[in-house]
Amino acid sequence: MFSGIVEEPAKVVALEREKENLHITLTCSFAKDLKIDQSVSHNGVCLTVVKKDEQTYTVTAIKETLEKSNLGLLKVGEKVNVERSMKIDSLLDGHMVQGHVDQTAVCTDVLEADGSWYYTFEYDPTKGNITVEKGSIAVNGVSLTVVNSRESSFQVAIIPYTYEHTNFHEINKGTVVNLEFDIVGKYITKILRQYLESGQLNRLTGK
């Protein structure tokens, strides 16, 4: 479980294909503190540390992960948002993020507004995911608040600190990002759809 508060952007230093898997080696300030089998969020994807030294560590992404996220598009030298899993006694400064990416989205606009930035993202609504105004969403693992929620798009506002300390400064028009929708909203949406499909919505509303 993660909070969506990114610790820093890690730099990709090596990529190695092994059959349908991708081994990703990264460097960051806390690489030496990691342990084998530890879970770390990478652009919102929970991956397990399989190898490490004092300056780098390696995680492995399987075929399904590569197909459902932007990790398969990574290149050496690019930055990835990383966050270690939450501790029980930690403050939940963002929102509950599982590290299970639901789908990707494409950045369609970046608007600078007096020191902050508004990013617009468009996604495929047929996959059953939705956003709500002022709701929570994780974009590349960053916990953010939705504005201008639409059927297939939304915006987020990025302050200078987030811009500088995540890989948002590398996101431009056409950039593919990972989305994890709010887990509470996903459960509510699933329940409502089940009632609608079964014709039992009246039982839920009391009518």
Side-chain angles (χ1 to χ4, degrees):
M1 185 69 70
F2 306 92
S3 67
I5 305 300
V6 170
E7 294 186 61
E8 64 181 87
K11 185 177 181 180
V12 178
V13 295
L15 296 168
E16 181 185 353
R17 290 275 181 177
E18 183 182 11
K19 297 182 179 179
E20 294 184 334
N21 298 332
L22 178 65
H23 302 298
I24 308 169
T25 301
L26 308 99
T27 182
C28 69
S29 66
F30 56 79
K32 63 181 182 298
D33 301 321
L34 294 174
K35 298 178 180 179
I36 302 299
D37 291 337
Q38 185 170 348
S39 295
V40 180
S41 172
H42 298 78
N43 275 357
V45 180
C46 180
L47 296 173
T48 301
V49 176
V50 296
K51 185 169 62 175
K52 58 153 292 187
D53 56 32
E54 287 297 304
Q55 296 182 326
T56 68
Y57 70 95
T58 301
V59 294
T60 301
I62 63 174
K63 180 182 178 182
E64 182 180 5
T65 301
L66 298 175
E67 291 176 346
K68 291 186 177 181
S69 73
N70 62 7
L71 297 186
L73 303 175
L74 286 177
K75 298 178 181 178
V76 172
E78 290 187 336
K79 295 178 180 178
V80 176
N81 293 331
V82 292
E83 178 193 357
R84 286 170 285 188
S85 56
M86 291 180 59
K87 296 180 179 179
I88 296 297
D89 59 350
S90 298
L91 293 173
L92 183 58
D93 292 321
H95 72 283
M96 291 186 291
V97 178
Q98 294 183 295
H100 303 155
V101 168
D102 294 302
Q103 64 184 99
T104 58
V106 177
C107 178
T108 57
D109 191 36
V110 181
L111 176 64
E112 188 171 356
D114 293 329
S116 295
W117 293 263
Y118 282 93
Y119 287 78
T120 302
F121 297 103
E122 187 167 331
Y123 63 95
D124 180 1
T126 65
K127 295 184 180 295
N129 298 304
I130 63 170
T131 61
V132 294
E133 198 71 19
K134 302 300 186 291
S136 296
I137 192 165
V139 179
N140 272 1
V142 183
S143 174
L144 297 167
T145 300
V146 172
V147 294
N148 293 327
S149 174
R150 300 289 185 269
E151 182 183 2
S152 61
S153 68
F154 64 93
Q155 284 185 320
V156 291
I158 301 299
I159 62 174
Y161 183 89
T162 304
Y163 185 86
E164 295 171 6
H165 291 84
T166 70
N167 61 11
F168 260 89
H169 59 269
E170 294 186 342
I171 296 177
N172 303 296
K173 287 183 180 180
T175 299
V176 177
V177 299
N178 295 330
L179 301 181
E180 182 182 328
F181 294 81
D182 181 45
I183 187 172
V184 177
K186 288 192 285 189
Y187 274 116
I188 293 173
T189 300
K190 183 174 182 178
I191 291 170
L192 287 174
R193 284 188 177 136
Q194 287 177 335
Y195 270 92
L196 285 170
E197 291 171 359
S198 65
Q200 295 179 326
L201 184 61
N202 289 343
R203 291 178 56 188
L204 186 65
T205 59
K207 298 180 179 179

